């Protein structure tokens, strides 16, 4: 009996040794400790033994049972842990790997700059107005004090539509100034608006495209003078170009709808590689402006002896080129995805509206 037990033990431990997966261990457990297992059979045999024999073999068989059971469980645990370890290793995520790129659209620099400019003026109490791209002669020229048949009309290289039956011709607006007229004929002063939008002239080179963008400003209030105009423009330019102060220079100019009229230059520095706004000894032409001409006020039914006002017109495309270092205007409207990805702005993550987040 003793040899029986010893042999069985040797045999079972050898099997345990070579059982390398959970199934083999389970088979071993059933074969040894299951209902009809070899160790269970020995245990059953104890019943038919004399008390002395039972005293001798009982502890041995029970000891074997417990030991085998413990060893099988321990080995099972080890196998499970090793399997888990292997899985963790193989399924490890390398967070330093580059993410799968997600193609997203971008905000065009023109739209970004419209947003920035409108926001700055909105902060100064200006409302945002829009007008139609297809205008008539009255709003684009006549009410703005362009004399009939005057060469000033040619200076805009206008795109005209086919004449209609009554002989009048619609046109693509050559500037955003018609929105001045549309506002003054529909609202009573005080008026304080900016009007962003598309404008059209027959022109095409590195800094001109047939379609371009302007933002118009108009203020009509009692007692408004050029000092207000200058203050508003300086405040705007400093905020737009994100500088402490933007000194400006007013050069006399001529626009039919303002008197006096001026072109405004902003202080800049061209000595380095990059153009810097706000410092330096150079000047950069940036916009046209002036005090609204009494004839324009009259054409809109506003008494020029009571109300004064100023107006200004800014080229948005030029502002975008200056602020974001865009060399050629024509690329802006070619819809080249590579260009848009380079110069476009992140749609939803702009940290502030006045200075967008580049992609
Ligand atoms: N409308 C003018 C232009 O396009 C700009 C301008 C606007 C000038 C308002 C003076 C006042 O050239």
């Amino acid at each position: 009996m003793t040899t029986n037990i010893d042999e069985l033990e040797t045999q079972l431990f050898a099997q345990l040794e070579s059982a390398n997966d959970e199934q083999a261990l389970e088979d071993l457990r059933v074969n040894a400790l299951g209902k009809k297992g070899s160790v269970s059979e020995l245990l059953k045999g104890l019943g038919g033994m004399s008390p002395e024999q039972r005293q001798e073999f009982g502890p041995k068989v029970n000891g074997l049972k417990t030991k085998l059971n413990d060893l099988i469980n321990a080995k099972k645990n080890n196998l499970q842990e090793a399997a888990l370890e292997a899985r963790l290793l193989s399924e490890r995520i390398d967070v330093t790997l580059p993410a799968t790129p997600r193609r997203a659209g971008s905000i065009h620099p023109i739209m970004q700059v419209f947003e920035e400019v409108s926001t700055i003026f909105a902060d100064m109490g200006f409302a945002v107005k829009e007008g139609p791209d297809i205008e008539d002669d009255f709003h684009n020229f006549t009410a703005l004090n362009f004399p009939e048949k005057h060469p000033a009309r040619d200076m805009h290289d206008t795109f005209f539509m086919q004449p209609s039956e009554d002989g009048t011709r619609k046109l693509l607006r050559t500037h955003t100034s018609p929105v001045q007229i549309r506002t003054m004929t529909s609202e009573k002063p005080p008026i304080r608006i900016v009007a962003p939008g598309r404008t059209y002239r027959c022109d095409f080179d590195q800094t001109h495209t047939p379609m371009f963008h302007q933002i118009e400003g108009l203020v009509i209030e009692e007692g408004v003078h050029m000092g207000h105009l200058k203050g508003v423009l300086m405040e705007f330019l400093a905020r737009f170009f994100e500088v402490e102060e933007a000194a400006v220079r007013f050069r006399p100019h001529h626009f039919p709808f303002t008197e006096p009229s001026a072109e405004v230059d902003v202080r800049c520095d061209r000595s380095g590689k990059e153009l810097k706004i706000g410092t330096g000894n150079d000047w950069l032409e940036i916009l046209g402006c002036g005090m609204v001409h009494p004839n324009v006020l009259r054409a809109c039914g506003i008494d020029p002896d009571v109300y004064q006002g100023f107006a200004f017109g800014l080229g948005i495309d030029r502002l975008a080129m200056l602020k974001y270092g865009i060399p050629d205007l024509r690329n802006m409207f070619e819809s080249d995805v590579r260009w848009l990805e380079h110069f476009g702005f992140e749609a939803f993550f702009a940290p502030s509206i006045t200075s967008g987040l580049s992609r």
Side-chain angles (χ1 to χ4, degrees), residues 137-201:
D137 184 88
F138 175 76
H139 290 92
N140 197 83
F141 292 126
T142 306
L144 285 163
N145 198 35
F146 282 79
E148 198 72 40
K149 302 244 161 49
H150 190 276
R153 288 176 190 246
D154 298 335
M155 105 191 171
H156 279 188
D157 299 312
T158 314
F159 289 114
F160 286 100
M161 305 285 169
Q162 293 291 346
S164 54
E165 272 167 24
D166 63 7
T168 58
R169 289 189 297 176
K170 295 261 182 175
L171 51 91
L172 291 175
R173 66 176 176 189
T174 57
H175 49 179
T176 40
S177 300
V179 188
Q180 287 188 32
I181 305 303
R182 291 189 176 274
T183 307
M184 285 188 279
T185 49
S186 63
E187 288 173 27
K188 289 204 168 354
I191 290 170
R192 221 182 262 194
I193 58 128
V194 283
R198 280 180 293 268
T199 45
Y200 306 84
R201 288 179 206 177

Side-chain angles (χ1 to χ4, degrees), residues 156 174-175 177 180 201 214 216 255 257-258 288-290 311-313:
H156 279 188
T174 57
H175 49 179
S177 300
Q180 287 188 32
R201 288 179 206 177
Q214 285 189 340
E216 190 83 8
F255 298 106
F257 36 92
T258 44
C289 65
F312 54 89

Side-chain angles (χ1 to χ4, degrees), residues 5-20:
I5 296 174
D6 291 343
E7 259 173 38
L8 184 59
E9 182 167 324
T10 321
Q11 201 186 330
L12 289 174
F13 285 175
Q15 283 173 16
L16 177 68
E17 183 73 33
S18 57
N20 280 326

Side-chain angles (χ1 to χ4, degrees), residues 138-355:
F138 175 76
H139 290 92
N140 197 83
F141 292 126
T142 306
L144 285 163
N145 198 35
F146 282 79
E148 198 72 40
K149 302 244 161 49
H150 190 276
R153 288 176 190 246
D154 298 335
M155 105 191 171
H156 279 188
D157 299 312
T158 314
F159 289 114
F160 286 100
M161 305 285 169
Q162 293 291 346
S164 54
E165 272 167 24
D166 63 7
T168 58
R169 289 189 297 176
K170 295 261 182 175
L171 51 91
L172 291 175
R173 66 176 176 189
T174 57
H175 49 179
T176 40
S177 300
V179 188
Q180 287 188 32
I181 305 303
R182 291 189 176 274
T183 307
M184 285 188 279
T185 49
S186 63
E187 288 173 27
K188 289 204 168 354
I191 290 170
R192 221 182 262 194
I193 58 128
V194 283
R198 280 180 293 268
T199 45
Y200 306 84
R201 288 179 206 177
C202 187
D203 214 348
F204 191 60
D205 61 35
Q206 194 178 343
T207 51
H208 296 90
T209 48
M211 189 272 307
F212 57 105
H213 301 82
Q214 285 189 340
I215 189 161
E216 190 83 8
L218 175 72
V219 172
I220 306 287
E221 278 173 47
E222 279 176 77
V224 164
H225 54 70
M226 272 192 110
H228 296 125
L229 169 61
K230 189 173 178 184
V232 164
L233 292 177
M234 283 178 73
E235 166 78 10
F236 161 72
L237 290 169
R239 279 195 64 188
F240 180 75
F241 287 109
E242 297 171 45
V243 292
E244 241 347 87
E245 201 190 296
V248 292
R249 182 172 78 169
F250 280 62
R251 269 183 296 104
H253 197 72
H254 171 75
F255 298 106
F257 36 92
T258 44
E259 182 60 35
S261 304
E263 275 190 335
V264 175
D265 302 336
V266 65
R267 188 181 280 288
C268 74
D269 181 357
R270 294 179 218 251
S271 60
K273 245 191 181 170
E274 269 174 35
L275 171 79
K276 278 202 200 105
I277 307 282
T279 51
N281 295 318
D282 234 333
W283 298 96
L284 178 76
E285 184 196 323
I286 204 103
L287 64 98
C289 65
M291 300 305 292
V292 178
H293 197 293
N295 285 352
V296 175
L297 293 173
R298 266 183 227 113
C300 298
I302 295 175
D303 184 351
D305 292 329
V306 180
Y307 292 103
Q308 293 75 41
F310 61 77
F312 54 89
L314 278 154
I316 289 294
D317 317 65
R318 190 165 148 73
L319 285 184
M321 288 169 82
L322 287 172
K323 182 163 178 180
Y324 295 114
I326 300 168
D328 192 321
L329 177 62
R330 291 167 295 194
N331 298 140
M332 291 239 197
F333 312 118
E334 283 169 355
S335 303
D336 185 328
V337 175
R338 293 162 306 174
W339 188 94
L340 290 168
E341 280 183 348
H342 183 79
F343 286 110
F345 291 82
E346 203 65 79
F348 299 114
F349 304 110
S352 81
I353 302 179
T354 53
S355 188

